[in-house]
Amino acid sequence: MEYKKELQRLIEDFKTNYLPSVSVDLVIFGFHDGQLKVLLLRWKGTEEWCLPGGRIRNDENLDDSAYRSLRERTGLREIFLQQFYTFGDVLRYKHIDQHETLRKLGLPEEAVHEFANRDVSVGYYALVEFENVVPTPDFFTDECRWWDINQVPTLLFDHNDMISLALKTLRRQLSYQPIGYSLLPDKFTMPDLQQLYETILGQSLDRRNFQKRMLGYGILERLEERKFGGAHKAPYLYRFDKEKYEKVLAEESLFVG
Amino acid sequence: MEYKKELQRLIEDFKTNYLPSVSVDLVIFGFHDGQLKVLLLRWKGTEEWCLPGGRIRNDENLDDSAYRSLRERTGLREIFLQQFYTFGDVLRYKHIDQHETLRKLGLPEEAVHEFANRDVSVGYYALVEFENVVPTPDFFTDECRWWDINQVPTLLFDHNDMISLALKTLRRQLSYQPIGYSLLPDKFTMPDLQQLYETILGQSLDRRNFQKRMLGYGILERLEERKFGGAHKAPYLYRFDKEKYEKVLAEESLFVG
């Protein structure tokens, strides 16, 4: 059976070339239709969902292994990726009997024990442009797709906690990380930008104040184009002035809320 | 030889009861004589210094292992301790040939290889009351003592980077972590408090503004006592109102700089 053979190969590969007891998990955020989204995987033959993740090669820096996993699941190379917390409780697998789940996948006992070992997992969050992602499942999963942040189901392991903490970190870091730059397309309207911040902060913002403050930073360049197609008057399109944006972030002075 | 026997026992213990390839390192901050201090260890028979740290037992939560190491080095139980970053570069040991250093300690080859394996290390920072600490070296070290943050020597491994990042984190978290509460004795003067913040921020603050702002938060209780012994008029002693302090922190609104 092709599947079993490939699995055997994977186990050998893990034993030989990867660090034991440490792994990486990824909270990949995208923004689409005014909603913050997160990329999830569905385990083979089950209805169980979890975050993408991976292991660290013996000869690979921790950050590089996170970039590699992110590339494998999204197809993207140039991405905002940042470590936010390392999860190391003994009982990280509270929602399921992990051994049972792995057996259901048809894994032989040896593989069950290899993969159900206790891991300390380093959490990273990524900000990606939704449009550019090609969601790609891995060997253990059937499906990889976006979920609205407000509709995420009960996930395997401690992955719901990971998403909560990633989101909390994102909020804290709004003032000094290139959140807008990473999540929005190259050209966007002022309402797009406001909606992004509102979604992340989980609260609505005053339209006039928001616009005034954002323009006050001098980080936005107003284009000659407008966005047509909506019911209202066509709004202007903007683009970030990357240099000025990074200067403001370096001063940690981009306050929005 | 008693030392070799104990070492052999330790190696067996590590192999059997601890997670491989993950460890914990601690940046322990104290405040004394108007200076921010950090606790360092000197390796047996060398002039090489490093941060305290430890490994994670198979049956132990990551946080608990950090608390255990902190207790072993300081004698303290109730302490502010927080994870700040996980260090996972392949070449974390850039300053020394780690194998050579371990051999110099008289470790047999088996032990050299056991301890010189690549680790991913989870960095924690702790805030402790200087007066209460009993600095205690571990099996591998001869000495454990405080260093002024501005006089830290070139350390083993990537430990200078760890201190820099811990300090940067401390600065960022001034507004929502109980920094003052953890680092100052129960009773302190307004100049003590100001000096603490100035040391952490690395800049001087206006005395009047600082006092006005601090009192404005309503987190300080002025005592009837004054502090005698200085050259100037005896300043008032203050104490934190813990409940109000925690409320302000929960709102992340304690701005100082």
Side-chain angles (χ1 to χ4, degrees):
Chain A
M1 195 176 136
E2 212 40 51
Y3 173 77
K4 279 230 162 129
K5 236 172 153 178
E6 177 61 14
L7 182 62
Q8 205 62 44
R9 203 196 55 74
L10 263 179
I11 293 174
E12 275 313 308
D13 188 31
F14 278 145
K15 275 190 187 166
T16 317
N17 298 317
Y18 289 78
L19 292 184
S21 38
V22 206
S23 61
V24 160
D25 281 302
L26 302 174
V27 181
I28 305 174
F29 289 116
F31 187 68
H32 187 64
D33 274 349
Q35 282 293 325
L36 196 64
K37 313 265 187 181
V38 60
L39 202 64
L40 298 178
L41 291 168
R42 185 170 56 74
W43 276 51
K44 263 197 169 83
T46 75
E47 287 303 315
E48 306 279 3
W49 292 81
C50 69
L51 291 172
R55 297 203 169 191
I56 306 145
R57 293 184 61 90
N58 291 330
D59 58 358
E60 184 179 52
N61 290 339
L62 176 59
D63 280 354
D64 294 336
S65 89
Y67 274 108
R68 180 174 49 76
S69 294
L70 181 55
R71 205 165 54 233
E72 288 168 3
R73 297 288 76 71
T74 64
L76 298 183
R77 278 173 184 279
E78 296 283 321
I79 14 203
F80 178 90
L81 178 72
Q82 194 185 277
Q83 196 194 102
F84 68 97
Y85 196 73
T86 296
F87 298 80
D89 278 2
V90 177
L91 295 173
R92 292 186 46 228
Y93 311 105
K94 57 191 170 196
H95 300 308
I96 55 153
D97 179 337
Q98 203 197 12
H99 289 77
E100 209 38 58
T101 309
L102 290 167
R103 280 191 199 103
K104 271 191 212 155
L105 294 179
L107 264 67
E109 278 307 297
E110 187 200 352
V112 168
H113 284 284
E114 178 65 21
F115 287 109
N117 264 346
R118 179 189 169 195
D119 270 349
V120 167
S121 183
V122 186
Y124 281 79
Y125 80 88
L127 307 175
V128 301
E129 277 186 48
F130 183 88
E131 311 284 351
N132 299 339
V133 172
V134 184
T136 310
D138 63 15
F139 180 77
F140 297 101
T141 53
D142 278 334
E143 194 180 353
C144 178
R145 74 166 172 89
W146 291 105
W147 285 72
D148 267 20
I149 195 79
N150 298 318
Q151 290 168 13
V152 170
T154 298
L155 302 176
L156 293 176
F157 319 121
D158 51 359
H159 290 184
N160 291 93
D161 295 343
M162 286 187 181
I163 294 179
S164 300
L165 193 58
L167 197 55
K168 197 172 165 188
T169 308
L170 192 59
R171 282 178 191 149
R172 278 215 176 110
Q173 299 189 340
L174 272 182
S175 66
Y176 61 90
Q177 297 291 12
I179 312 288
Y181 191 83
S182 304
L183 285 172
L184 291 172
D186 186 41
K187 299 172 189 176
F188 51 87
T189 66
M190 192 59 78
D192 290 338
L193 185 62
Q194 181 171 344
Q195 209 167 26
L196 171 64
Y197 277 95
E198 286 180 335
T199 308
I200 293 174
L201 292 167
Q203 64 183 63
S204 54
L205 303 168
D206 179 75
R207 191 179 61 81
R208 276 163 183 271
N209 281 343
F210 181 83
Q211 174 153 349
K212 198 172 148 198
R213 206 187 284 203
M214 277 296 151
L215 293 177
Y217 288 125
I219 58 178
L220 294 174
E221 182 189 349
R222 198 173 85 177
L223 305 175
E224 292 305 307
E225 309 164 59
R226 287 164 182 257
K227 185 181 180 179
F228 293 99
H232 303 284
K233 192 185 150 207
Y236 280 107
L237 283 167
Y238 291 85
R239 185 158 54 192
F240 283 112
D241 181 323
K242 199 179 176 188
E243 208 169 299
K244 286 186 190 152
Y245 189 30
E246 281 172 358
K247 192 163 163 283
V248 170
L249 291 177
E251 293 161 0
E252 305 197 5
S253 53
L254 192 69
F255 292 109
V256 181
Chain B
M1 197 177 134
E2 211 40 52
Y3 173 77
K4 280 230 162 132
K5 236 170 147 178
E6 176 62 15
L7 182 63
Q8 204 63 44
R9 201 195 57 73
L10 264 179
I11 294 174
E12 274 313 309
D13 189 31
F14 278 144
K15 274 190 187 166
T16 318
N17 299 316
Y18 289 77
L19 292 184
S21 34
V22 206
S23 62
V24 159
D25 282 302
L26 302 173
V27 181
I28 305 174
F29 290 116
F31 187 66
H32 187 63
D33 275 348
Q35 281 295 326
L36 195 65
K37 312 267 186 181
V38 62
L39 202 64
L40 298 178
L41 291 167
R42 185 171 55 75
W43 276 50
K44 264 197 169 83
T46 75
E47 288 303 314
E48 305 280 3
W49 293 81
C50 68
L51 290 173
R55 297 203 170 192
I56 305 146
R57 293 184 61 90
N58 291 329
D59 58 358
E60 186 178 51
N61 290 338
L62 175 60
D63 280 353
D64 294 335
S65 89
Y67 274 108
R68 180 173 50 76
S69 294
L70 182 55
R71 206 165 54 235
E72 287 169 4
R73 299 287 78 71
T74 63
L76 298 182
R77 279 175 183 279
E78 296 283 321
I79 13 199
F80 178 90
L81 179 72
Q82 193 184 278
Q83 197 194 102
F84 67 96
Y85 196 73
T86 296
F87 298 80
D89 278 1
V90 178
L91 295 173
R92 293 186 44 226
Y93 311 106
K94 56 191 169 194
H95 300 308
I96 55 155
D97 180 336
Q98 203 196 12
H99 289 77
E100 208 39 57
T101 309
L102 291 167
R103 279 190 200 105
K104 271 191 211 156
L105 293 177
L107 264 67
E109 278 306 296
E110 187 199 352
V112 168
H113 284 284
E114 178 65 21
F115 288 109
N117 265 345
R118 178 189 169 194
D119 270 349
V120 167
S121 184
V122 186
Y124 281 80
Y125 81 88
L127 306 176
V128 301
E129 278 187 46
F130 182 89
E131 310 284 353
N132 299 339
V133 172
V134 184
T136 310
D138 64 16
F139 180 78
F140 297 101
T141 53
D142 278 334
E143 195 181 351
C144 179
R145 74 165 173 88
W146 292 104
W147 285 71
D148 268 21
I149 195 79
N150 298 318
Q151 289 168 14
V152 169
T154 299
L155 303 176
L156 294 176
F157 318 120
D158 51 359
H159 290 185
N160 291 92
D161 296 342
M162 286 187 180
I163 294 179
S164 300
L165 193 57
L167 197 56
K168 196 171 166 190
T169 308
L170 193 59
R171 282 179 191 147
R172 276 213 177 113
Q173 300 190 339
L174 271 182
S175 65
Y176 61 91
Q177 296 292 11
I179 312 288
Y181 191 84
S182 304
L183 285 171
L184 290 172
D186 185 41
K187 299 170 189 178
F188 51 87
T189 66
M190 192 60 77
D192 290 338
L193 184 62
Q194 181 171 344
Q195 209 166 28
L196 170 64
Y197 277 96
E198 286 180 338
T199 308
I200 292 173
L201 292 168
Q203 63 182 62
S204 54
L205 303 168
D206 178 75
R207 191 178 61 82
R208 275 164 185 273
N209 282 343
F210 181 83
Q211 173 155 348
K212 199 173 147 195
R213 206 187 282 203
M214 277 294 149
L215 293 177
Y217 287 124
I219 59 176
L220 294 175
E221 182 189 350
R222 197 172 86 178
L223 305 175
E224 291 305 308
E225 309 164 60
R226 286 164 181 256
K227 184 182 181 180
F228 292 101
H232 303 285
K233 192 184 150 209
Y236 280 106
L237 283 167
Y238 291 85
R239 187 159 52 194
F240 283 113
D241 181 325
K242 200 179 174 186
E243 207 169 300
K244 286 186 190 150
Y245 189 28
E246 281 172 357
K247 192 164 164 285
V248 170
L249 291 177
E251 293 162 0
E252 304 198 5
S253 53
L254 191 70
F255 292 108
V256 181

